[in-house]
Amino acid sequence: MCGIVGYVGNEQAGPILLDGLSRLEYRGYDSAGVAVYSQRDQRLSVHKAKGRLQVLSDMLQGGAAVDGTIGVGHTRWATHGAPSDINSHPQVSRSGRIAVVHNGIIENYAELKAFLQDQGVPFTSETDTEVVAQLIEYFCETDKVGILEAVGRSLRRIQGAYALGIICADEPDQIIAVRKDSPLILGYGNGCNFLASDVTAIIRHTREVGYMDDGEVAVLTKDGIQCYNHLMQPVEKEISHVDWEVDAAEKGGYEHFMFKEIMEQPEAMRRAIFPRIRDGEVFLEDFALTEDYLRSVHKLYIVACGSSYHVGMIGKYNLERILRIPVEVSLASEFRYMDPIVDDKTLVIVISQSGETLDTMAALREAKRLGATILSIVNVVGSSIARESDQVLYTWAGPEIAVATTKAYSTQLAVLNLLGLYLARLLGTMPEEEYHSVLEEMLLLPAKMEEILSDKDDIQYYASQYFNHNSVFFIGRNVDYALGLEGSLKLKEISYIHSEAYASGELKHGTISLIEEGTLVVALGTYAKLFEKAMSNIVEVKARGGDVLALTTRTHGEEMRKTANGVITIPETHPLLLPSLGVVPLQLFAYYVALMRGCDIDKPRNLAKSVTVE
Ligand code: F6R
């Protein structure tokens, strides 16, 4: 979704803003722009272009064509008004003296626009953002106040979710930043300061960051940053150090971020798992939920979106099995509209890579309102979901840039399993021997993943056989069904092949009518207990002419080969952990298919990395 970057210092802002925007490209966007104030010309210059950032960068000779040492930049993902040069940000006030970049949505923009139009303010774009720029100028002019006061007055009028970066030609040494329900990060430099919606945009310049809280306003000059709370009282910001390396957010010789991130999974799993197993027991860092509280919990409720929801689906099977308490899983976008049965005895587990997904955030707040305790499993440190939870378990996957999640999914699953094991130990619901054997197997997962990754030729071969198909079905039972949901999503989102996942038992209730000569069915049969059932479903599909690519464990590979057209195998592990290994070939299959179809793998059409609108 949209991205914001801002810079104030002694260097030319243009190249810094464009570089920052290039690091936000992965989030998805349709146009880009910058506004820079030139001390020499004493004016703001605004440059915007629909399409790839490269178009803007070429227009500005990589930034060299704009003069000035203070500016804001934006990558837009259209909400109000189609992608166009005019609708791109920055949006300016009618005098051209105030420029605004904005992530989020101003919900009452139509009402405010009508009010301003009644006052004679002309509008040039269809955006909700222009309303903000015009409203600030309106207060500056009619109330004869400075920019900060005018921003404060405007904030009392606007409703919605927003992160704003504002510069004004009348007070040209400062950027004003505002945050409400949309992330914004302050970067502390030496003789310069930064603003960004995502730390990747500024990590090359500073690792010292402050996470703005909801309702906060910040004034950035090159000499410092002053923050204010929603009452405009000064507040001290805690400064955090970002400890991942710059190259973690770069391709490092790989053709695609997605492939790099698939290959990084063993390392990410080591970071997520190893520090959390000590002396044969699960150890959860800074775990503040008391044993008494955890013993009182009578229901777990997992809420998440997309792939994170798929992790929750596996969690339902695994946690119910080892805890023997009900585990509900809900799409976050449905949760708040379904009148969920949640109370103070419900532990709500929120799963999110970005920690900023709006639907997930809204579900979290609804669950809190209903009295639940919130435990979140999050990748992005300091993100909104992490900060609003009662307890956070970070996945430590490092920055994930490709839109299609891979290493975040794997580490979420690992952390959820660890949490389940921790609770099982506490509640005494799992035989001790099994508990220890799962932990031992968890420690082996990274090495087993490495085995799969070093032997990917088969997967590449199958991708070459099937990349021309237009429709694919994933089938499986139990955790294999939940795994199929993820395999199917991975394939469809990056290759644009129509793909659906079904619980195998459901085939005969409708979907089997779609199976005809040559239809590709990816049959997942890793769960030994249900292997025979998986085989029967494969036979069913083959009898209708379907082409079956199967995934199973090495133990069952030979048996599977007798029936399926193609078989991919994974090493054996404890049944609770099978999806952690099974997902890797599915990610690779999707990747190779998309590669062979010539798709834009890291930035699939219409998708954004972090979905901050409803
Ligand atoms: C798919 C994918 C999305 C995300 C979903 C939730 O590959 O990445 O489905 O899983 O948008 O995002 P987070 O986990 O950031 O809340």
Side-chain angles (χ1 to χ4, degrees), residues 22-327:
S22 73
R23 290 165 205 284
L24 297 177
E25 277 189 292
Y26 77 96
R27 298 170 65 91
Y29 71 105
D30 49 51
S31 47
V34 294
V36 176
Y37 180 80
S38 163
Q39 300 286 352
R40 192 184 61 202
D41 304 336
Q42 300 205 341
R43 66 177 198 91
L44 270 179
S45 64
V46 178
H47 308 271
K48 316 191 283 190
K50 180 183 160 191
R52 288 285 188 216
L53 182 62
Q54 196 58 45
V55 180
L56 180 72
S57 183
D58 290 348
M59 209 163 94
L60 301 180
Q61 296 159 26
V66 270
D67 175 62
T69 57
I70 176 169
V72 288
H74 192 257
T75 45
R76 175 175 187 248
W77 197 81
T79 54
H80 295 63
S84 71
D85 292 355
I86 287 179
N87 288 335
S88 308
H89 301 196
Q91 287 292 320
V92 291
S93 60
R94 79 168 138 170
S95 71
R97 300 189 67 74
I98 295 171
V100 174
V101 289
H102 164 218
N103 289 357
I105 287 176
I106 307 298
E107 281 163 6
N108 60 337
Y109 85 101
E111 177 198 314
L112 293 172
K113 188 169 180 174
F115 164 77
L116 289 164
Q117 281 170 329
D118 280 350
Q119 312 300 311
V121 177
F123 278 77
T124 51
S125 80
E126 300 159 86
T127 64
D128 51 342
T129 307
E130 187 181 354
V131 168
V132 180
Q134 304 283 22
L135 192 63
I136 296 171
E137 183 162 288
Y138 170 81
F139 283 121
C140 284
E141 285 175 0
T142 54
D143 296 1
K144 305 276 179 278
V145 293
I147 181 76
L148 185 58
E149 180 57 31
V151 168
R153 288 180 194 203
S154 302
L155 294 181
R156 290 198 277 280
R157 298 289 295 272
I158 63 179
Q159 290 161 10
Y162 44 82
L164 302 168
I166 303 158
I167 50 176
C168 174
D170 298 325
E171 295 172 58
D173 57 348
Q174 63 184 30
I175 302 174
I176 297 180
V178 183
R179 178 209 153 116
K180 181 174 170 286
D181 294 338
S182 189
L184 210 46
I185 292 162
L186 304 166
Y188 297 79
N190 217 340
C192 58
N193 287 302
F194 301 84
L195 177 68
S197 52
D198 181 330
V199 77
T200 47
I202 54 174
I203 182 80
R204 292 180 108 212
H205 304 283
T206 180
R207 288 163 174 281
E208 310 311 314
V209 301
Y211 300 99
M212 287 184 76
D213 285 317
D214 267 349
E216 279 185 353
V217 175
V219 178
L220 292 81
T221 64
K222 66 179 181 178
D223 301 319
I225 301 179
Q226 178 60 59
C227 270
Y228 302 90
N229 65 15
H230 67 288
L231 299 171
M232 294 307 273
Q233 295 159 330
V235 285
E236 278 295 311
K237 272 255 68 80
E238 189 186 326
I239 300 182
S240 311
H241 182 77
V242 178
D243 59 7
W244 45 264
E245 294 303 320
V246 177
D247 61 9
E250 290 177 355
K251 276 194 201 150
Y254 288 97
E255 196 179 343
H256 296 103
F257 277 112
M258 182 180 176
F259 192 68
K260 175 178 179 245
E261 288 159 6
I262 290 173
M263 299 303 284
E264 280 172 353
Q265 285 181 110
E267 218 28 64
M269 291 289 272
R270 285 189 182 99
R271 283 197 299 272
I273 298 171
F274 286 12
R276 290 180 169 129
I277 300 179
R278 289 192 188 169
D279 304 325
E281 299 289 343
V282 178
F283 168 82
L284 300 177
E285 76 282 357
D286 302 326
F287 203 68
L289 303 184
T290 64
E291 296 192 355
D292 280 351
Y293 163 72
L294 292 170
R295 285 198 182 92
S296 77
V297 167
H298 61 195
K299 183 163 85 174
L300 301 181
Y301 215 132
I302 304 177
V303 288
C305 300
S307 294
S308 300
Y309 167 77
H310 297 158
V311 169
M313 286 288 288
I314 293 173
K316 177 176 171 65
Y317 288 108
N318 281 357
L319 301 193
E320 280 191 343
R321 202 186 123 195
I322 61 176
L323 298 176
R324 304 315 299 157
I325 55 175
V327 180

Side-chain angles (χ1 to χ4, degrees), residues 304-309 351-357 360 385 400 402-406 412 486 489-490 493 608-611:
C305 300
S307 294
S308 300
Y309 167 77
I351 308 178
S352 175
Q353 186 286 128
S354 62
E356 301 293 348
T357 303
T360 311
I385 289 173
E400 191 178 65
V403 164
T405 183
T406 51
Q412 285 169 347
E486 178 59 7
L489 179 64
K490 267 317 61 103
E493 67 181 335
K609 181 66 183 162
S610 168
V611 184

Side-chain angles (χ1 to χ4, degrees), residues 425-441:
R425 184 76 163 144
L426 181 77
L427 304 176
T429 51
M430 196 175 181
E432 197 168 330
E433 206 179 314
E434 190 184 7
Y435 168 83
H436 289 298
S437 89
V438 182
L439 286 187
E440 273 165 34
E441 278 298 329

